[in-house]
Amino acid sequence: MSDLTISPTGGASTPRVLAIDLGGSHVKVHLSEGGEKRSAVSGPQMTPDLMVKTVKDLSKDWEFDVIGMGYPGPISDNAPSIEPHNLASGWKGYDFSGAFGKPVRMVNDALMQAIGSYEGGRMLFLGLGTGLGSAMIAENVCMPMELAHLPYKKRQTFEDYVGLRGLEARGKARWRKSVADVTQRLNAALEPDYIVIGGGNVEKLKAMPEHCRQGHNENAFLGGFRVWLDPTLKL
């Protein structure tokens, strides 16, 4: 599903969705009706209040009804359940619907990209970035996962080998071998129909490991739209 514009099917009742993709370096926004994508720098000084103000500034000339948002961390009761690693503090339990004055549906950022990449069946999503994002969707049931810190080799974790630390410490060739090995171990353990590998570092792979296809960061926006527009999803 690479087309980021979702055509309304419900007439006037179909909500116009603003998708927010929040990361440690940028916050990006896009509308379900199409048009340009906009972004601003985030980083360690980004509080939730500043993020809300930034998004309001980015979208001040846009019209939308609801918001789908990806957050770099676990979600509980539609709000962050822990503070993010690469942003400022104050996120846990923050009321984004109240701050925006619009209904917000929030999911983990890896799950949002997974939703945008989903093509049915049982899909495992792995996001290669600063760490290792993960999510699974099985017959439309969406499950955020925390596979990054499972033990792997030499008392280290999957993330230590296939995240940014592993790439910088071990070089591209060894990192690529680790990505292939980790994906095959997870494939054997979880038995998905297919694996989608996304995230900012997927472009550094020369070839996709067996049973895998390449995802695209742009699918995060599509996931943000689909949390509102796809009634078959079970979040």
Side-chain angles (χ1 to χ4, degrees), residues 174-192:
R174 296 173 70 191
W175 174 80
R176 288 167 180 153
K177 289 181 180 179
S178 294
V179 171
D181 184 59
V182 167
T183 57
Q184 296 316 300
R185 288 173 185 248
L186 293 174
N187 181 64
L190 299 172
E191 297 185 329

Side-chain angles (χ1 to χ4, degrees), residues 12-123:
S13 64
T14 300
R16 297 165 295 185
V17 186
L18 175 70
I20 303 174
D21 183 15
L22 174 64
S25 59
H26 290 85
V27 56
K28 305 172 186 178
V29 295
H30 190 35
L31 284 175
S32 57
E33 295 184 322
E36 65 177 324
K37 296 175 259 311
R38 299 175 180 175
S39 67
V41 173
S42 57
Q45 305 305 314
M46 179 68 79
T47 65
D49 287 337
L50 179 57
M51 192 279 290
V52 170
K53 180 182 183 302
T54 299
V55 169
K56 286 182 176 180
D57 288 342
L58 288 171
S59 61
K60 61 186 177 182
D61 58 334
W62 289 352
E63 294 186 2
F64 55 92
D65 307 302
V66 295
I67 295 170
M69 178 175 167
Y71 171 77
I75 302 296
S76 179
D77 296 325
N78 204 43
S81 60
I82 66 171
E83 299 293 336
H85 293 295
N86 300 311
L87 302 172
S89 61
W91 298 82
K92 184 177 179 180
Y94 190 90
D95 179 12
F96 286 96
S97 294
F100 280 111
K102 304 272 188 180
V104 176
R105 287 183 180 169
M106 178 177 289
V107 295
N108 170 264
D109 57 350
L111 180 57
M112 192 163 87
Q113 192 173 151
I115 290 169
S117 306
Y118 183 58
E119 294 182 351
R122 290 169 53 86
M123 181 198 73

Side-chain angles (χ1 to χ4, degrees), residues 148-206:
H149 300 116
L150 291 177
Y152 183 40
K153 294 180 179 180
K154 299 178 181 179
R155 298 185 179 180
Q156 293 185 303
T157 66
F158 287 138
E159 184 170 279
D160 291 325
Y161 277 77
V162 303
L164 184 60
R165 289 192 305 273
L167 174 61
E168 292 177 342
R170 303 174 67 244
K172 283 185 182 180
R174 296 173 70 191
W175 174 80
R176 288 167 180 153
K177 289 181 180 179
S178 294
V179 171
D181 184 59
V182 167
T183 57
Q184 296 316 300
R185 288 173 185 248
L186 293 174
N187 181 64
L190 299 172
E191 297 185 329
D193 297 323
Y194 57 102
I195 299 172
V196 174
I197 303 179
N201 287 330
V202 68
E203 301 289 345
K204 295 180 172 65
L205 294 174
K206 281 188 175 180

Side-chain angles (χ1 to χ4, degrees), residues 125-145:
F125 175 84
L126 300 173
L128 302 176
T130 303
L132 174 65
S134 56
M136 195 160 188
I137 304 179
E139 307 303 336
N140 296 317
V141 178
C142 301
M143 297 171 283
M145 306 182 81

